[in-house]
Amino acid sequence: ADTFAGQVAVSFDDMPKPGFTEVVLRRLGEAQIPATFFVVGRLVRRYPELLRQIVDAGHALGNHTYNHPSLVTLTSEQIAEELARTQDAVDRALGYHYPMPLVRPPYGLPYYGPARPKALEKVSTAIANHKGICVLWTLGTKDTVVGCTANKVVKGLKHRFNVGTGGVMVF
Protein backbone atom coordinates (compact mmCIF):
# COMPACT_ATOMS: atom_id res chain seq x y z
CA ALA A 1 0.00 0.00 0.00
CA ASP A 2 1.09 3.55 -0.66
CA THR A 3 2.19 5.50 2.37
CA PHE A 4 2.67 9.21 2.87
CA ALA A 5 3.35 9.27 6.62
CA GLY A 6 4.12 12.82 7.66
CA GLN A 7 3.97 14.13 4.07
CA VAL A 8 1.33 16.09 2.22
CA ALA A 9 1.23 16.39 -1.56
CA VAL A 10 -0.82 19.34 -2.80
CA SER A 11 -2.49 18.99 -6.19
CA PHE A 12 -4.95 20.88 -8.36
CA ASP A 13 -7.21 19.38 -11.01
CA ASP A 14 -8.84 20.77 -14.15
CA MET A 15 -6.11 23.34 -14.79
CA PRO A 16 -5.25 25.92 -16.04
CA LYS A 17 -8.17 28.21 -15.16
CA PRO A 18 -8.01 31.97 -15.71
CA GLY A 19 -8.57 33.97 -12.54
CA PHE A 20 -7.88 30.93 -10.38
CA THR A 21 -4.45 29.80 -11.55
CA GLU A 22 -2.89 33.22 -10.94
CA VAL A 23 -4.25 33.42 -7.37
CA VAL A 24 -3.15 29.87 -6.57
CA LEU A 25 0.35 30.50 -7.93
CA ARG A 26 0.69 33.66 -5.85
CA ARG A 27 -0.49 31.94 -2.66
CA LEU A 28 1.69 28.87 -3.21
CA GLY A 29 4.66 31.14 -3.86
CA GLU A 30 4.05 33.14 -0.69
CA ALA A 31 3.86 29.93 1.35
CA GLN A 32 6.70 28.26 -0.61
CA ILE A 33 4.55 25.19 -1.25
CA PRO A 34 5.23 23.08 -4.35
CA ALA A 35 2.22 21.53 -6.06
CA THR A 36 1.26 19.34 -8.97
CA PHE A 37 -1.20 20.78 -11.47
CA PHE A 38 -3.17 18.13 -13.35
CA VAL A 39 -3.94 19.80 -16.65
CA VAL A 40 -6.76 19.34 -19.16
CA GLY A 41 -5.46 19.47 -22.73
CA ARG A 42 -8.25 21.63 -24.18
CA LEU A 43 -7.66 24.20 -21.41
CA VAL A 44 -3.91 24.13 -22.09
CA ARG A 45 -4.60 24.89 -25.77
CA ARG A 46 -6.85 27.78 -24.73
CA TYR A 47 -4.57 29.21 -22.02
CA PRO A 48 -0.95 28.34 -22.89
CA GLU A 49 0.41 31.37 -21.01
CA LEU A 50 -1.13 30.12 -17.76
CA LEU A 51 0.52 26.75 -18.30
CA ARG A 52 3.88 28.48 -18.77
CA GLN A 53 3.33 30.43 -15.54
CA ILE A 54 2.77 27.17 -13.63
CA VAL A 55 5.99 25.65 -14.96
CA ASP A 56 7.97 28.90 -14.55
CA ALA A 57 6.90 28.98 -10.87
CA GLY A 58 8.54 25.56 -10.42
CA HIS A 59 5.44 23.41 -10.06
CA ALA A 60 4.95 19.98 -11.63
CA LEU A 61 2.42 19.07 -14.30
CA GLY A 62 0.32 15.95 -14.52
CA ASN A 63 -1.99 14.70 -17.27
CA HIS A 64 -5.74 15.01 -16.60
CA THR A 65 -6.88 14.07 -20.16
CA TYR A 66 -7.86 16.29 -23.06
CA ASN A 67 -11.65 16.48 -22.70
CA HIS A 68 -12.09 15.37 -19.05
CA PRO A 69 -14.19 12.25 -19.78
CA SER A 70 -14.94 9.44 -17.38
CA LEU A 71 -12.23 6.99 -18.45
CA VAL A 72 -14.26 3.95 -17.43
CA THR A 73 -16.51 4.61 -20.42
CA LEU A 74 -13.60 4.65 -22.91
CA THR A 75 -11.57 1.93 -24.61
CA SER A 76 -7.84 1.64 -23.90
CA GLU A 77 -7.17 3.24 -27.29
CA GLN A 78 -9.44 6.19 -26.50
CA ILE A 79 -7.73 6.66 -23.13
CA ALA A 80 -4.34 6.65 -24.85
CA GLU A 81 -5.61 9.28 -27.32
CA GLU A 82 -6.84 11.52 -24.47
CA LEU A 83 -3.43 11.32 -22.80
CA ALA A 84 -1.46 11.81 -26.03
CA ARG A 85 -3.50 14.87 -27.06
CA THR A 86 -2.88 16.46 -23.66
CA GLN A 87 0.84 15.72 -23.88
CA ASP A 88 0.90 17.32 -27.32
CA ALA A 89 -0.95 20.42 -26.05
CA VAL A 90 1.54 20.83 -23.19
CA ASP A 91 4.56 20.37 -25.45
CA ARG A 92 3.21 22.92 -27.94
CA ALA A 93 2.41 25.44 -25.20
CA LEU A 94 5.89 25.12 -23.68
CA GLY A 95 7.80 24.76 -26.93
CA TYR A 96 9.57 21.62 -25.73
CA HIS A 97 8.75 18.11 -24.52
CA TYR A 98 7.66 18.09 -20.88
CA PRO A 99 7.25 14.47 -19.70
CA MET A 100 4.07 13.94 -17.69
CA PRO A 101 4.17 10.43 -16.23
CA LEU A 102 1.62 11.34 -13.53
CA VAL A 103 -1.96 10.85 -14.69
CA ARG A 104 -5.06 11.60 -12.67
CA PRO A 105 -8.26 10.14 -14.10
CA PRO A 106 -11.09 12.68 -14.16
CA TYR A 107 -13.47 12.23 -11.23
CA GLY A 108 -10.84 10.08 -9.42
CA LEU A 109 -12.15 8.66 -6.19
CA PRO A 110 -14.64 7.10 -5.62
CA TYR A 111 -14.96 6.09 -9.29
CA TYR A 112 -11.61 4.32 -9.39
CA GLY A 113 -11.14 3.47 -5.72
CA PRO A 114 -11.31 0.20 -3.79
CA ALA A 115 -15.08 0.00 -4.26
CA ARG A 116 -14.62 -0.41 -8.02
CA PRO A 117 -11.58 -2.66 -8.51
CA LYS A 118 -12.37 -3.54 -12.14
CA ALA A 119 -12.64 0.14 -13.11
CA LEU A 120 -9.37 0.89 -11.34
CA GLU A 121 -7.66 -2.06 -13.04
CA LYS A 122 -8.93 -1.09 -16.50
CA VAL A 123 -7.94 2.58 -16.19
CA SER A 124 -4.62 1.88 -14.43
CA THR A 125 -3.66 -0.66 -17.10
CA ALA A 126 -4.47 1.77 -19.92
CA ILE A 127 -2.44 4.50 -18.17
CA ALA A 128 0.47 2.10 -17.56
CA ASN A 129 0.40 1.07 -21.24
CA HIS A 130 0.89 4.77 -21.99
CA LYS A 131 3.91 4.71 -19.63
CA GLY A 132 1.98 6.66 -17.03
CA ILE A 133 1.37 6.34 -13.31
CA CYS A 134 -2.21 6.55 -12.04
CA VAL A 135 -2.37 9.13 -9.22
CA LEU A 136 -5.55 9.38 -7.17
CA TRP A 137 -5.96 11.33 -3.94
CA THR A 138 -6.57 10.52 -0.32
CA LEU A 139 -8.10 13.81 0.79
CA GLY A 140 -10.62 15.87 -1.17
CA THR A 141 -10.97 19.47 -0.08
CA LYS A 142 -14.63 19.66 -1.20
CA ASP A 143 -13.89 23.06 -2.74
CA THR A 144 -16.30 22.38 -5.61
CA VAL A 145 -19.32 21.93 -3.34
CA VAL A 146 -22.00 24.62 -3.70
CA GLY A 147 -21.68 27.18 -0.92
CA CYS A 148 -18.03 26.37 -0.31
CA THR A 149 -15.97 29.04 1.43
CA ALA A 150 -12.32 29.19 2.41
CA ASN A 151 -13.30 28.78 6.07
CA LYS A 152 -15.34 25.65 5.29
CA VAL A 153 -12.42 24.12 3.36
CA VAL A 154 -9.97 24.81 6.22
CA LYS A 155 -12.40 23.55 8.87
CA GLY A 156 -13.06 20.36 6.87
CA LEU A 157 -9.38 19.73 6.32
CA LYS A 158 -8.60 20.20 10.02
CA HIS A 159 -11.37 17.74 10.86
CA ARG A 160 -10.51 15.05 8.26
CA PHE A 161 -6.78 15.31 7.75
CA ASN A 162 -4.21 13.47 9.84
CA VAL A 163 -0.68 14.78 9.27
CA GLY A 164 0.68 11.60 10.86
CA THR A 165 -0.61 9.52 7.97
CA GLY A 166 -0.18 12.26 5.34
CA GLY A 167 -1.61 11.91 1.88
CA VAL A 168 -2.45 13.50 -1.44
CA MET A 169 -4.72 16.54 -1.18
CA VAL A 170 -6.75 17.70 -4.19
CA PHE A 171 -8.20 21.12 -4.88
Side-chain angles (χ1 to χ4, degrees):
D2 293 337
T3 179
F4 302 96
Q7 299 177 37
V8 177
V10 176
S11 63
F12 295 86
D13 282 1
D14 309 336
M15 300 300 276
K17 289 180 185 168
F20 181 75
T21 302
E22 301 89 337
V23 172
V24 168
L25 290 174
R26 186 176 71 250
R27 297 261 170 94
L28 290 171
E30 290 167 357
Q32 297 183 321
I33 296 173
T36 301
F37 288 75
F38 287 90
V39 299
V40 174
R42 65 181 162 72
L43 296 176
V44 168
R45 286 221 194 268
R46 228 169 140 183
Y47 309 110
E49 180 55 36
L50 288 178
L51 182 84
R52 289 190 288 272
Q53 288 176 30
I54 293 168
V55 173
D56 289 347
H59 300 288
L61 300 178
N63 197 321
H64 198 47
T65 71
Y66 192 85
N67 289 305
H68 203 272
S70 172
L71 298 185
V72 223
T73 65
L74 304 182
T75 66
S76 294
E77 293 77 20
Q78 290 169 319
I79 293 171
E81 178 68 17
E82 284 281 330
L83 301 177
R85 287 182 73 194
T86 301
Q87 181 68 63
D88 181 62
V90 166
D91 292 350
R92 286 175 185 261
L94 295 176
Y96 61 89
H97 178 62
Y98 182 105
M100 290 190 301
L102 302 181
V103 177
R104 177 165 292 152
Y107 311 106
L109 294 173
Y111 304 99
Y112 304 107
R116 297 192 61 194
K118 288 188 189 240
L120 179 59
E121 181 181 351
K122 171 189 174 181
V123 172
S124 293
T125 299
I127 290 170
N129 289 341
H130 193 74
K131 296 184 175 51
I133 301 163
C134 185
V135 179
L136 298 177
W137 66 82
T138 57
L139 181 65
T141 57
K142 299 189 178 185
D143 60 338
T144 59
V145 174
V146 175
C148 174
T149 64
N151 287 339
K152 286 181 181 178
V153 169
V154 171
K155 184 178 178 182
L157 289 174
K158 285 181 177 178
H159 176 72
R160 293 188 318 274
F161 191 64
N162 179 342
V163 176
T165 57
V168 178
M169 188 181 303
V170 66
F171 289 90

